[in-house]
Amino acid sequence: MSELKETVAKNVGVSLDTLNARIAEVLTENKPAWINAGKSDDDCQVLAIRVAGRQLKAEAQRLSRSGAEVLTGMFVSAPRYKDFAKSGYAKMKNTLNTLDEAARTALVAQGRITLIQDNLDGSYTHTINPTFKLSSLEEETSEVVLHALPKFVQELDATTWFQIIENNTMPTFASGDANPRYGRARKLSEPVRECLFLGKRGSADVELITIKFEGDLALENQPTFVPGRLPVRMGRNGVGYAKPGVTKFVIDDSIANQFAAPPFMIGESGPSGLVLDLVEGVWPNGDFLPSFDLVPEHINKWAETDQKWDRLCAVHGEVVHIDPREKGGYIITVGDLDITSTAPSVDVYVPAEHEYRMDFGVGSEIVIVGRAWMSRDDEARLDSTAWWVCDSIAASISAPAEEAPDEANTGWDA
């Protein structure tokens, strides 16, 4: 099997580690269906090698045609995606449920929403503001009869739907170009994810680059502190934008050589590594917190600044429990190394597609990067946006070696 992998990797033009990582993804997604179809484990391995090779070849061809730029480095913060459209519709639905018909119609007149009513005869009455086509918006309403529901409608009750208008204030940009969002119904879901990538553009120096994902690409989970290559479209503002059909992070262990230090380590002089640079040093000058007990102080430090929600911190802890999730993946529970600490543990969520990283067990030491916040119950919380095992103890739940890349070979010794 290893000879077949080497042949495919050579033909595709990728490293064996890159091919192994893609094989792991293919098996995670398809092996249950293949087993149900009567394929043996060996058959699944051969199929996965072939599929992975074809995928990587197709991606390389698309990249060469796209004009995208390939960054080399690693994700150092990959928070959960946000969906402001979905939450916006949920909030508006709650608001509309508290309003009478006149107040709802007033929102239509203001150009904030449209309303659709089922006439129970196969037609619908669509209440809109008709003045979006004019040079300036006026508070008016009109009714249009439809014979099918329009796109992007949210149900309010059994016979009523509504749409949120994406923009009702700016018909044109400063350049004079028309604003395509003006007067347009907002999509029901618009997931976005903004990650931090520490890497290089060509032969330039290593720098921290913001990468923005939208739509389906925002739903993909990115591994953190795993070296590799990332094709993106770079904007003039220095931000990288993911492109459908092109942007796909490919693991490449050799990229670790471009970093002067591993993500994290403890030496005679204390903690050091890339994580320390990311959070600008050790507390109180920086935001590497020697104890989980310092999370509330970190929150208070930034509470009155514009970095309240975005400031990253890091902690060094110990894996105290690993719980498999019903639909794949794991929850890693991490406790403070300080045995006298009274701070709550932190949960790290590992998605199913990253199960290959689970080659460690309880007692391992792990560094967590994340964003801290205070709950309504006045409890300090830390949401993990990146993690790396810095002192690994072998686990009994590791993914089979044939189904995963060798995580111990990520360019750093944990």
Side-chain angles (χ1 to χ4, degrees), residues 104-159:
R104 293 177 181 178
T105 304
L107 291 178
V108 176
Q110 295 166 18
R112 295 178 58 187
I113 65 168
T114 74
L115 289 170
I116 303 100
Q117 187 72 36
D118 191 345
N119 297 326
L120 303 178
D121 60 1
S123 67
Y124 304 86
T125 297
H126 194 186
T127 306
I128 63 172
N129 184 318
T131 66
F132 276 110
K133 297 180 180 179
L134 304 179
S135 58
S136 62
L137 187 69
E138 300 177 5
E139 288 201 16
E140 294 184 17
T141 64
S142 68
E143 296 181 349
V144 180
V145 176
L146 305 175
H147 295 285
L149 284 172
K151 288 183 178 180
F152 315 132
V153 294
Q154 175 67 54
E155 184 180 280
L156 186 59
D157 57 44
T159 59

Coordinates of all heavy atoms in Angstrom, one line a residue, residues 104-159:
R104 N -46.2 46.1 11.9 CA -45.5 45.3 10.9 C -45.5 46.1 9.6 O -44.4 46.2 8.9 CB -46.1 44.0 10.7 CG -46.0 43.0 11.9 CD -46.8 41.7 11.7 NE -46.7 40.8 12.8 CZ -47.3 39.6 12.9 NH1 -48.0 39.2 11.8 NH2 -47.2 38.9 13.9
T105 N -46.6 46.6 9.2 CA -46.7 47.4 7.9 C -45.8 48.6 8.0 O -45.2 49.0 6.9 CB -48.2 47.8 7.6 OG1 -49.0 46.6 7.6 CG2 -48.3 48.4 6.3
A106 N -45.7 49.2 9.1 CA -44.8 50.4 9.3 C -43.3 50.0 9.0 O -42.6 50.8 8.4 CB -44.9 50.9 10.7
L107 N -42.9 48.8 9.4 CA -41.6 48.4 9.1 C -41.4 48.2 7.5 O -40.3 48.4 7.0 CB -41.3 47.1 9.8 CG -41.1 47.1 11.3 CD1 -40.9 45.8 11.9 CD2 -40.0 48.1 11.7
V108 N -42.4 47.7 6.9 CA -42.4 47.6 5.4 C -42.2 49.0 4.8 O -41.4 49.2 3.9 CB -43.6 46.9 4.8 CG1 -43.6 46.9 3.3 CG2 -43.8 45.5 5.4
A109 N -43.0 50.0 5.3 CA -42.9 51.3 4.8 C -41.5 51.9 5.0 O -41.1 52.7 4.1 CB -44.0 52.2 5.4
Q110 N -40.8 51.5 6.0 CA -39.5 52.0 6.3 C -38.4 51.3 5.5 O -37.3 51.7 5.5 CB -39.2 51.9 7.8 CG -40.1 52.7 8.7 CD -39.9 52.2 10.2 OE1 -39.0 51.5 10.5 NE2 -40.9 52.6 11.0
G111 N -38.8 50.3 4.7 CA -37.9 49.6 3.8 C -37.0 48.6 4.6 O -36.0 48.2 4.1
R112 N -37.5 48.2 5.8 CA -36.7 47.2 6.5 C -37.1 45.8 6.2 O -36.2 44.9 6.3 CB -36.9 47.5 8.0 CG -36.4 48.9 8.5 CD -36.6 49.2 9.9 NE -36.0 48.1 10.8 CZ -36.2 48.1 12.1 NH1 -37.0 49.0 12.7 NH2 -35.6 47.1 12.8
I113 N -38.3 45.5 5.9 CA -38.8 44.2 5.6 C -39.8 44.2 4.5 O -40.3 45.3 4.1 CB -39.4 43.5 6.8 CG1 -40.7 44.2 7.2 CG2 -38.4 43.4 8.0 CD1 -41.6 43.5 8.3
T114 N -40.2 43.0 4.0 CA -41.4 42.8 3.2 C -42.2 41.7 3.9 O -41.7 40.9 4.7 CB -41.1 42.4 1.8 OG1 -40.7 41.0 1.8 CG2 -40.0 43.2 1.1
L115 N -43.5 41.7 3.6 CA -44.4 40.7 4.2 C -45.1 39.9 3.1 O -45.5 40.5 2.1 CB -45.5 41.4 5.1 CG -45.0 42.0 6.4 CD1 -46.0 42.8 7.1 CD2 -44.5 40.9 7.4
I116 N -45.3 38.6 3.3 CA -46.0 37.8 2.3 C -47.1 37.1 3.0 O -46.9 36.4 4.1 CB -45.0 36.8 1.7 CG1 -43.9 37.5 1.0 CG2 -45.8 35.9 0.7 CD1 -42.6 37.5 1.8
Q117 N -48.3 37.2 2.5 CA -49.5 36.6 3.1 C -50.1 35.5 2.2 O -50.3 35.8 1.0 CB -50.5 37.6 3.5 CG -51.7 37.2 4.3 CD -51.4 36.8 5.7 OE1 -50.6 37.5 6.3 NE2 -52.0 35.8 6.3
D118 N -50.4 34.3 2.7 CA -51.0 33.3 1.9 C -52.5 33.6 1.7 O -53.2 33.8 2.7 CB -50.8 31.9 2.6 CG -51.2 30.8 1.7 OD1 -51.9 31.0 0.7 OD2 -50.8 29.6 2.0
N119 N -53.0 33.7 0.5 CA -54.4 34.0 0.2 C -55.2 32.7 0.3 O -56.5 32.8 0.1 CB -54.5 34.7 -1.1 CG -53.9 36.1 -1.1 OD1 -53.8 36.8 -0.1 ND2 -53.3 36.4 -2.3
L120 N -54.6 31.6 0.5 CA -55.3 30.3 0.6 C -56.0 29.9 -0.7 O -57.0 29.1 -0.7 CB -56.2 30.3 1.7 CG -55.6 30.6 3.1 CD1 -56.7 30.6 4.2 CD2 -54.5 29.6 3.4
D121 N -55.6 30.5 -1.9 CA -56.2 30.1 -3.1 C -55.1 29.9 -4.2 O -55.4 30.0 -5.4 CB -57.2 31.2 -3.6 CG -56.5 32.6 -3.8 OD1 -55.2 32.7 -3.6 OD2 -57.1 33.6 -4.2
G122 N -53.9 29.6 -3.7 CA -52.8 29.4 -4.6 C -52.0 30.7 -4.9 O -51.0 30.6 -5.7
S123 N -52.4 31.8 -4.3 CA -51.7 33.1 -4.6 C -51.3 33.6 -3.2 O -51.7 33.2 -2.2 CB -52.6 34.1 -5.3 OG -53.7 34.5 -4.5
Y124 N -50.4 34.6 -3.3 CA -49.8 35.3 -2.1 C -49.8 36.8 -2.3 O -49.6 37.3 -3.5 CB -48.4 34.8 -1.9 CG -48.2 33.3 -1.8 CD1 -48.0 32.5 -2.9 CD2 -48.2 32.7 -0.5 CE1 -47.9 31.2 -2.8 CE2 -48.1 31.3 -0.4 CZ -47.9 30.6 -1.6 OH -47.7 29.2 -1.5
T125 N -50.1 37.5 -1.3 CA -50.0 39.0 -1.3 C -48.7 39.4 -0.7 O -48.4 39.2 0.4 CB -51.2 39.6 -0.6 OG1 -52.4 39.3 -1.2 CG2 -51.0 41.2 -0.6
H126 N -47.9 40.1 -1.6 CA -46.6 40.5 -1.1 C -46.6 42.0 -0.9 O -46.8 42.9 -1.8 CB -45.5 40.2 -2.3 CG -44.1 40.3 -1.8 ND1 -43.1 40.2 -2.7 CD2 -43.5 40.5 -0.6 CE1 -41.9 40.3 -2.0 NE2 -42.2 40.6 -0.8
T127 N -46.4 42.4 0.4 CA -46.4 43.9 0.7 C -45.0 44.4 0.8 O -44.2 43.9 1.5 CB -47.1 44.1 2.1 OG1 -48.4 43.5 2.1 CG2 -47.2 45.5 2.4
I128 N -44.8 45.4 -0.1 CA -43.4 45.9 -0.3 C -43.4 47.4 -0.2 O -44.4 48.1 -0.2 CB -42.8 45.4 -1.6 CG1 -43.7 46.0 -2.8 CG2 -42.8 43.9 -1.7 CD1 -43.1 45.8 -4.2
N129 N -42.2 48.0 -0.2 CA -42.0 49.4 -0.4 C -41.6 49.6 -1.9 O -40.5 49.1 -2.3 CB -40.9 50.0 0.5 CG -40.8 51.5 0.4 OD1 -40.8 52.0 -0.7 ND2 -40.6 52.2 1.5
P130 N -42.4 50.2 -2.7 CA -42.2 50.3 -4.1 C -41.2 51.4 -4.5 O -40.8 51.5 -5.7 CB -43.6 50.7 -4.7 CG -44.2 51.5 -3.6 CD -43.7 50.9 -2.3
T131 N -40.7 52.2 -3.5 CA -39.9 53.4 -3.9 C -38.4 53.1 -3.9 O -37.6 54.0 -4.1 CB -40.1 54.5 -2.9 OG1 -39.7 54.2 -1.6 CG2 -41.6 54.8 -2.8
F132 N -38.0 51.8 -3.8 CA -36.6 51.5 -3.9 C -36.0 51.8 -5.3 O -34.9 52.0 -5.4 CB -36.3 50.0 -3.5 CG -36.2 49.7 -2.1 CD1 -37.2 49.0 -1.4 CD2 -35.1 50.1 -1.4 CE1 -37.1 48.8 0.0 CE2 -34.9 49.9 0.0 CZ -35.9 49.2 0.7
K133 N -36.9 51.8 -6.3 CA -36.5 52.0 -7.6 C -36.3 53.5 -7.9 O -35.8 53.9 -8.9 CB -37.5 51.4 -8.6 CG -37.6 49.9 -8.5 CD -38.6 49.4 -9.5 CE -38.7 47.9 -9.4 NZ -39.7 47.3 -10.4
L134 N -36.7 54.4 -7.0 CA -36.6 55.8 -7.1 C -35.2 56.3 -6.6 O -34.5 55.5 -6.0 CB -37.7 56.5 -6.4 CG -39.2 56.1 -6.8 CD1 -40.2 56.9 -5.9 CD2 -39.4 56.3 -8.3
S135 N -34.9 57.5 -6.7 CA -33.6 58.1 -6.3 C -33.5 58.1 -4.8 O -32.4 58.1 -4.2 CB -33.4 59.5 -6.9 OG -34.5 60.4 -6.5
S136 N -34.6 58.2 -4.1 CA -34.6 58.2 -2.6 C -35.8 57.5 -2.1 O -36.9 57.4 -2.7 CB -34.7 59.7 -2.1 OG -35.9 60.3 -2.5
L137 N -35.6 56.8 -1.0 CA -36.6 56.0 -0.4 C -37.7 56.8 0.3 O -37.3 57.7 1.1 CB -36.0 55.0 0.6 CG -36.9 53.9 1.2 CD1 -37.3 52.9 0.1 CD2 -36.2 53.2 2.4
E138 N -38.9 56.5 0.1 CA -40.0 57.2 0.8 C -40.8 56.1 1.5 O -40.9 55.0 1.2 CB -40.9 57.9 -0.2 CG -40.2 59.0 -1.0 CD -41.1 59.6 -2.1 OE1 -42.3 59.3 -2.1 OE2 -40.5 60.4 -2.9
E139 N -41.5 56.6 2.6 CA -42.3 55.7 3.4 C -43.6 55.4 2.7 O -44.6 56.1 2.9 CB -42.5 56.2 4.8 CG -41.2 56.2 5.6 CD -41.5 56.3 7.1 OE1 -42.7 56.0 7.6 OE2 -40.6 56.6 7.9
E140 N -43.6 54.3 2.0 CA -44.8 53.9 1.2 C -44.9 52.3 1.3 O -43.9 51.7 1.5 CB -44.8 54.4 -0.2 CG -44.9 55.9 -0.4 CD -45.0 56.2 -1.9 OE1 -45.3 55.3 -2.7 OE2 -44.7 57.4 -2.2
T141 N -46.1 51.8 1.0 CA -46.3 50.4 0.8 C -47.2 50.2 -0.4 O -48.0 51.0 -0.8 CB -46.9 49.7 2.0 OG1 -48.2 50.3 2.2 CG2 -46.1 49.9 3.3
S142 N -47.0 49.0 -1.0 CA -48.0 48.6 -2.1 C -48.0 47.1 -2.0 O -47.2 46.4 -1.4 CB -47.5 49.0 -3.4 OG -46.3 48.4 -3.8
E143 N -49.0 46.5 -2.6 CA -49.3 45.1 -2.6 C -49.1 44.5 -4.0 O -49.7 45.1 -5.0 CB -50.6 44.7 -2.0 CG -50.8 45.1 -0.5 CD -52.1 44.8 0.0 OE1 -53.0 44.4 -0.7 OE2 -52.3 44.8 1.3
V144 N -48.4 43.4 -4.1 CA -48.3 42.7 -5.3 C -48.7 41.2 -5.2 O -48.4 40.6 -4.1 CB -46.8 42.7 -5.8 CG1 -46.6 41.9 -7.1 CG2 -46.3 44.1 -5.9
V145 N -49.5 40.7 -6.1 CA -50.0 39.3 -6.1 C -49.0 38.4 -6.7 O -48.6 38.6 -7.9 CB -51.4 39.2 -6.7 CG1 -51.8 37.7 -6.7 CG2 -52.4 40.1 -6.0
L146 N -48.6 37.4 -6.0 CA -47.6 36.4 -6.5 C -48.3 35.0 -6.6 O -49.3 34.8 -5.9 CB -46.4 36.3 -5.6 CG -45.6 37.6 -5.3 CD1 -44.5 37.3 -4.3 CD2 -45.0 38.2 -6.6
H147 N -47.7 34.2 -7.4 CA -48.3 32.8 -7.5 C -47.3 31.8 -7.0 O -47.5 30.6 -7.2 CB -48.7 32.5 -9.0 CG -49.9 33.4 -9.4 ND1 -51.2 33.2 -9.0 CD2 -49.8 34.5 -10.2 CE1 -51.9 34.1 -9.6 NE2 -51.2 34.9 -10.3
A148 N -46.3 32.2 -6.4 CA -45.3 31.4 -5.7 C -44.5 32.2 -4.7 O -44.4 33.4 -4.9 CB -44.3 30.7 -6.8
L149 N -44.0 31.6 -3.7 CA -43.2 32.3 -2.7 C -41.9 32.7 -3.3 O -41.2 32.0 -4.1 CB -42.9 31.4 -1.5 CG -44.1 31.2 -0.5 CD1 -43.7 30.1 0.5 CD2 -44.5 32.5 0.2
P150 N -41.5 33.9 -3.1 CA -40.2 34.4 -3.6 C -39.0 33.7 -2.8 O -39.2 33.0 -1.8 CB -40.2 35.9 -3.3 CG -41.1 36.1 -2.1 CD -42.1 35.0 -2.3
K151 N -37.8 33.9 -3.2 CA -36.6 33.4 -2.6 C -36.4 34.1 -1.2 O -36.9 35.2 -1.0 CB -35.4 33.6 -3.4 CG -35.3 32.7 -4.6 CD -33.9 33.0 -5.3 CE -33.8 32.1 -6.5 NZ -32.4 32.3 -7.2
F152 N -35.7 33.4 -0.3 CA -35.3 34.0 0.9 C -36.5 34.5 1.8 O -36.6 35.7 2.1 CB -34.3 35.1 0.7 CG -33.2 34.7 -0.3 CD1 -32.9 35.6 -1.3 CD2 -32.5 33.5 -0.2 CE1 -31.9 35.3 -2.2 CE2 -31.6 33.2 -1.2 CZ -31.2 34.1 -2.2
V153 N -37.4 33.6 2.1 CA -38.5 34.0 3.0 C -38.4 33.2 4.3 O -38.1 32.0 4.3 CB -39.9 33.8 2.3 CG1 -40.0 34.7 1.1 CG2 -40.0 32.3 1.9
Q154 N -38.7 33.9 5.4 CA -38.7 33.3 6.7 C -40.2 33.2 7.2 O -40.9 34.1 7.1 CB -37.9 34.1 7.7 CG -38.0 33.7 9.1 CD -37.3 32.3 9.3 OE1 -36.1 32.2 9.0 NE2 -38.0 31.4 9.9
E155 N -40.5 32.0 7.6 CA -41.9 31.8 8.1 C -42.1 32.5 9.4 O -41.3 32.4 10.3 CB -42.2 30.3 8.2 CG -43.6 30.0 8.6 CD -43.9 28.5 8.8 OE1 -44.1 27.8 7.8 OE2 -43.9 28.0 9.9
L156 N -43.2 33.2 9.5 CA -43.6 33.9 10.7 C -44.7 33.1 11.4 O -44.7 32.9 12.6 CB -44.1 35.3 10.4 CG -44.4 36.2 11.6 CD1 -43.2 36.4 12.5 CD2 -44.9 37.6 11.1
D157 N -45.7 32.6 10.6 CA -46.7 31.7 11.1 C -47.2 30.9 10.0 O -46.6 30.9 8.9 CB -47.9 32.5 11.8 CG -48.5 33.5 10.9 OD1 -48.8 33.2 9.7 OD2 -48.8 34.6 11.4
A158 N -48.3 30.1 10.1 CA -48.7 29.2 9.1 C -49.0 29.8 7.8 O -48.9 29.2 6.7 CB -49.9 28.4 9.6
T159 N -49.4 31.1 7.8 CA -49.8 31.8 6.5 C -49.1 33.1 6.2 O -49.4 33.8 5.3 CB -51.3 32.1 6.6 OG1 -51.6 33.0 7.7 CG2 -52.2 30.8 6.7

